[in-house]
Amino acid sequence: MPRVLTIEDDAVTAQEIVAELSSHGLEVDWADNGREGLSKAIAGGYDLITLDRMLPELDGLTIVTTLRNLKIATPILMISALSDVDERVRGLRAGGDDYLTKPFASDEMAARVEVLLRRNSVPMAQTRLQVGDLELDLISHEAKRGEHTLNLLPTEYKLLEFLMRHAGQVITRMMIFEEVWGYHFDPGTNLIDVHIGRLRKKIDAAGQTPLIRTVRGSGYAIAEPV
Amino acid sequence: MGVLYFEVSGYLNKLTRHSLMQRQHLFAHMSGKQLDDALIASQAFEERSFDAYGLFDAQFNPLGGQIRQLPTDLGLDGKIHELSRCLDADDPHLPRDSCDAVALKVRDGRWLVLVRDNGSLFVVTRIILHALLWGLSLTIIPGIAGWYLLRRRPLKRIRAIQATAEQIVAGDLTRRLPLSPRRDELDMLAAIVNAMLDRIERLMHEVKGVCDNIAHDLRTPLTRLRAQLYRIRQQAGDTSPQAEALEQAIGETDTLMARFRGLLRISELEDRQRRAGFVELDPRTLLIEMHDFYLPLAEDGEISLSLELPAQLPPLHGDRELLFEALANLLGNAIKFTPPGGQVRMRASSEASTLRIALEDSGPGIPEDEREAVLKRFYRSEEGHRHPGFGLGLSVVAAIVDLHGYALEVGASELGGAKLVLHCRTGVAS
């Protein structure tokens, strides 16, 4: 069972994080200040850390920097009340792996944790991705459903690759927008849904088992039908 | 000095004329041998002929004296004339330039010409005039130089004040006007302004502090609310009768959070002075990306979305993410407000140092009296109330446009709807 350390000074927020991650089958430890958090992070051998940016005693940014200086490569999801683009860049540059701003939805947080925990599940050297009878060639950028070759636009290809790299995991709209388009703001309307809809029409043609699943309120997941 | 010059020259002039009159008077009553003797005697003390004379017969042939020829301009009326050119003679002792002269008929029928040179008078007046000019130049030249030097220093200080003030206006409230050790009027003024700036900065900090506190105080409860609702929803399961109500509550919370994030975003943009994220970017790439991103949405709404780009556009200096966000907001609005079957057009053009990005639609448009107001926070037109949205989008756009030093123009399109034109300065922003 993967072990997660949550460093968060607000008890209620921490409780929610613990509850949400526990419901995903993770074992969660909680530290309510920076000093304790850092010593646990160094000693504990965790698989992932969620780290509040502003903490009593020791600042979140200092904790990341210290851990990385000690060559501890545990994935870190930074959670911050500071949403400025510069703040995000600073957090990621210091060694954070992902950045989430408050107020956040716990399913968004959980989805990001899952992705970080399994980010190395697809080896870099892999040249083909497969979900059910859907195949994606990472070299020729060719997609096939069964024997049928799919004609994808560049953005659709990127979107499909992102979903398939994280097959079986929930991917939120915000994550899709950040990863596929590279922007970090809220596009507001149902834009991502529209793009997914396009992709779906091409992949899950009439009569075929749908592979892209909508996760209510949260996002999407691509998976082999059970 | 000038007065002295005029008084003296006037007085000397009068004196000359007076002495000539005396001589005229004296010789007028003489004749024959007596006159000749008197004239010769009068010359006995004259070294240089200030007072020269000439004696002529009735036919104006010279009979005696230094003047051998009658001055041409002299009237034969016994009155004193002032001649500008006196005598045409080679004798260096005779006056040549200006003189007073008189011609009188003596009792024995001969003509006597008497001349009084004004030269001496000129020497005196010239001395006075020179003194006057020297005086003037010695006063005025150092005066001008002094004035320039005195003026240069305050001007330099005012320029320094101006430069600082510009930085303050640009948003750097930590700057203060420079003070010199002289403690003069300029420094007193600068000190007053600095005291005011201290107060303004303190107030701004307080206001920002209050805002930050409110934001911080709201952030955590909002996160908790959303989390707890989500948890109850998860526990209730899909078959629960409350599932739908909970789903709605979560939706409302998401709206609240999005609106709150929008507000925070604007204040962040508004007090951001740094332009760390600014890079040189190709507007063509940005616009093509925008078009591709929004095309499916437009097509779903049966709206034709077109992009017209010239083959080349000058690069922009700006924050790629923020510009995309601003344009996405405008384009999203255009698509949202355009009814099915309508048209949305993106067009870019460049002229001189400006790049124009125009977004036009065939929607209802923005009434003229609302064009100013649409950029304000939470503003939504009557038409807008029928559509979902936060009314913050355009304020975010305004903040981003401000940060870049661009301008946004709101107008009417020939397509029948709104026309929004973004005027971007090209090249490196100052």
Side-chain angles (χ1 to χ4, degrees):
Chain A
M1 188 188 279
R3 293 175 63 236
V4 174
L5 173 65
T6 290
I7 310 176
E8 165 68 60
D9 60 329
D10 176 63
V12 181
T13 307
Q15 256 174 35
E16 287 307 326
I17 295 176
V18 173
E20 178 65 23
L21 294 181
S22 302
S23 78
H24 282 251
L26 306 171
E27 187 187 322
V28 192
D29 280 350
W30 171 38
D32 70 350
N33 70 71
R35 197 176 301 278
E36 189 198 333
L38 181 61
S39 53
K40 275 193 171 173
I42 293 170
Y46 291 97
D47 298 297
L48 185 133
I49 298 165
T50 75
L51 176 62
D52 193 11
R53 167 76 174 74
M54 289 192 289
L55 286 167
E57 293 188 45
L58 207 58
D59 177 60
L61 215 54
T62 318
I63 294 178
V64 187
T65 316
T66 313
L67 286 175
R68 295 304 182 234
N69 282 341
L70 292 170
K71 306 271 180 249
I72 296 173
T74 316
I76 295 173
L77 170 64
M78 297 193 76
I79 298 175
S80 170
L82 306 167
S83 66
D84 192 11
V85 182
D86 290 351
E87 248 341 289
R88 168 190 300 276
V89 171
R90 209 170 297 148
L92 297 182
R93 202 170 282 163
D97 295 280
D98 199 358
Y99 194 97
L100 188 62
T101 53
K102 282 185 184 176
F104 62 86
S106 32
D107 36 345
E108 175 81 38
M109 185 271 304
R112 285 170 189 264
V113 165
E114 290 282 0
V115 164
L116 280 180
L117 278 174
R118 285 191 275 167
R119 66 172 167 179
N120 296 322
S121 60
V122 178
M124 285 311 279
Q126 193 162 334
T127 59
R128 258 179 83 255
L129 295 172
Q130 186 160 14
V131 172
D133 58 349
L134 176 67
E135 280 176 39
L136 192 66
D137 190 319
L138 298 177
I139 309 282
S140 64
H141 286 200
E142 200 184 52
K144 273 166 91 177
R145 178 95 203 246
E147 289 307 306
H148 183 63
T149 304
L150 307 172
N151 183 19
L152 299 181
L153 295 171
T155 326
E156 290 165 346
Y157 171 81
K158 268 167 105 179
L159 183 51
L160 184 61
E161 186 192 334
F162 183 50
L163 287 174
M164 287 180 79
R165 273 189 188 277
H166 302 97
Q169 299 173 35
V170 178
I171 303 296
T172 66
R173 293 173 182 83
M174 215 188 278
M175 287 160 80
I176 292 173
F177 192 44
E178 285 178 16
E179 176 70 24
V180 178
W181 281 273
Y183 294 107
H184 298 92
F185 65 93
D186 186 358
T189 39
N190 52 340
L191 270 158
I192 305 298
D193 297 338
V194 173
H195 281 274
I196 291 280
R198 293 269 151 148
L199 183 63
R200 217 177 221 162
K201 262 185 215 153
K202 291 188 180 177
I203 290 167
D204 302 334
Q208 282 173 311
T209 327
L211 294 177
I212 298 177
R213 183 168 56 93
T214 305
V215 182
R216 242 187 132 165
S218 303
Y220 298 93
I222 195 163
E224 233 172 304
V226 263
Chain B
M1 237 4 188
V3 175
L4 183 67
Y5 170 77
F6 282 111
E7 290 283 315
V8 169
S9 66
Y11 174 71
L12 288 176
N13 234 332
K14 224 159 80 186
L15 216 63
T16 320
R17 197 154 282 211
H18 210 75
S19 89
L20 197 61
M21 273 164 68
Q22 276 179 337
R23 281 168 66 208
Q24 181 192 5
H25 217 69
L26 176 69
F27 296 130
H29 298 287
M30 297 181 182
S31 62
K33 181 85 171 79
Q34 189 197 4
L35 179 64
D36 295 347
D37 292 345
L39 283 170
I40 291 162
S42 76
Q43 291 298 306
F45 306 107
E46 289 275 338
E47 201 173 297
R48 203 175 160 262
S49 308
F50 288 120
D51 295 306
Y53 77 94
L55 207 55
F56 302 89
D57 64 13
Q59 281 73 46
F60 300 109
N61 295 315
L63 298 171
Q66 303 95 320
I67 302 168
R68 315 294 299 166
Q69 203 180 358
L70 208 63
T72 43
D73 302 338
L74 188 61
L76 303 173
D77 50 4
K79 287 184 184 138
I80 295 173
H81 293 271
E82 195 178 333
L83 303 179
S84 54
R85 267 191 55 79
C86 196
L87 298 168
D88 281 330
D90 296 332
D91 190 344
H93 293 299
L94 285 177
R96 283 155 190 263
D97 300 329
S98 139
C99 64
D100 286 343
V102 64
L104 62 144
K105 203 167 185 176
V106 205
R107 284 182 186 166
D108 54 14
R110 291 182 299 181
W111 285 92
L112 177 64
V113 175
L114 295 170
V115 165
R116 168 81 198 189
D117 186 7
N118 282 343
S120 56
L121 177 121
F122 271 131
V123 174
V124 176
T125 55
R126 205 169 292 136
I127 288 168
I128 296 172
L129 192 65
H130 281 176
L132 183 69
L133 288 176
W134 271 109
L136 278 178
S137 52
L138 284 175
T139 328
I140 289 171
I141 293 169
I144 290 173
W147 171 75
Y148 176 74
L149 286 173
L150 282 173
R151 187 171 159 272
R152 209 173 50 158
R153 194 187 284 260
L155 211 63
K156 216 167 121 190
R157 287 167 63 198
I158 286 170
R159 292 232 169 87
I161 288 174
Q162 192 183 13
T164 317
E166 274 164 12
Q167 284 173 319
I168 295 168
V169 170
D172 188 359
L173 270 179
T174 58
R175 305 284 308 205
R176 290 296 174 267
L177 301 186
L179 293 175
S180 74
R182 298 147 67 113
R183 300 270 142 223
D184 58 6
E185 293 89 337
L186 212 55
D187 286 318
M188 282 163 68
L189 202 62
I192 293 170
V193 173
N194 282 347
M196 273 163 54
L197 285 171
D198 285 340
R199 180 91 182 112
I200 291 170
E201 194 191 7
R202 210 162 45 243
L203 287 173
M204 293 277 284
H205 270 299
E206 277 167 25
V207 170
K208 194 165 157 31
V210 169
C211 288
D212 286 352
N213 281 341
I214 292 174
H216 197 265
D217 288 352
L218 284 179
R219 245 185 265 253
T220 311
L222 268 175
T223 306
R224 291 172 184 171
L225 177 66
R226 172 66 167 74
Q228 281 163 351
L229 282 172
Y230 179 73
R231 180 126 329 280
I232 299 168
R233 169 73 186 80
Q234 293 291 93
Q235 284 161 357
D238 285 343
T239 50
S240 159
Q242 278 92 39
E244 203 183 320
L246 281 168
E247 214 51 79
Q248 275 178 7
I250 290 173
E252 289 299 324
T253 318
D254 283 342
T255 308
L256 195 61
M257 275 164 61
R259 211 175 277 203
F260 180 71
R261 270 198 293 260
L263 269 180
L264 287 178
R265 183 116 188 86
I266 293 169
S267 57
E268 259 169 31
L269 286 170
E270 280 177 349
D271 60 39
R272 186 134 76 116
Q273 283 131 33
R274 301 190 312 112
R275 294 169 176 176
F278 276 39
V279 289
E280 191 154 289
L281 54 95
D282 180 10
R284 280 176 54 89
T285 319
L286 193 76
L287 291 170
I288 292 169
E289 203 178 17
M290 284 269 303
H291 180 257
D292 291 349
F293 187 48
Y294 276 95
L295 191 61
L297 185 72
E299 283 175 1
D300 279 11
E302 291 165 43
I303 295 160
S304 88
L305 174 64
S306 64
L307 174 64
E308 292 172 28
L309 280 178
Q312 263 197 322
L313 283 175
L316 288 180
H317 185 73
D319 188 309
R320 176 177 159 270
E321 285 217 26
L322 293 181
L323 286 179
F324 190 91
E325 184 176 348
L327 288 168
N329 256 306
L330 297 179
L331 189 54
N333 270 338
I335 293 171
K336 188 162 77 185
F337 290 118
T338 301
Q343 207 183 340
V344 174
R345 186 165 69 189
M346 298 165 72
R347 250 202 302 206
S349 60
S350 73
E351 47 196 63
S353 60
T354 312
L355 175 76
R356 287 161 38 97
I357 299 171
L359 291 176
E360 297 174 71
D361 63 62
S362 61
I366 301 168
E368 209 166 335
D369 52 335
E370 289 182 29
R371 284 177 194 162
E372 282 275 314
V374 289
L375 298 175
K376 289 189 187 120
R377 262 170 236 198
F378 288 121
Y379 181 83
R380 216 155 5 123
S381 73
E382 287 301 310
E383 192 65 29
H385 284 295
R386 284 191 242 134
H387 296 266
F390 307 135
L392 277 175
L394 280 177
S395 324
V396 172
V397 175
I400 293 173
V401 167
D402 267 0
L403 181 73
H404 283 80
Y406 295 168
L408 184 65
E409 185 192 325
V410 183
S413 162
E414 57 191 34
L415 298 178
K419 178 181 187 175
L420 287 125
V421 186
L422 188 62
H423 298 265
C424 316
R425 286 177 302 147
T426 55
V428 175
S430 59

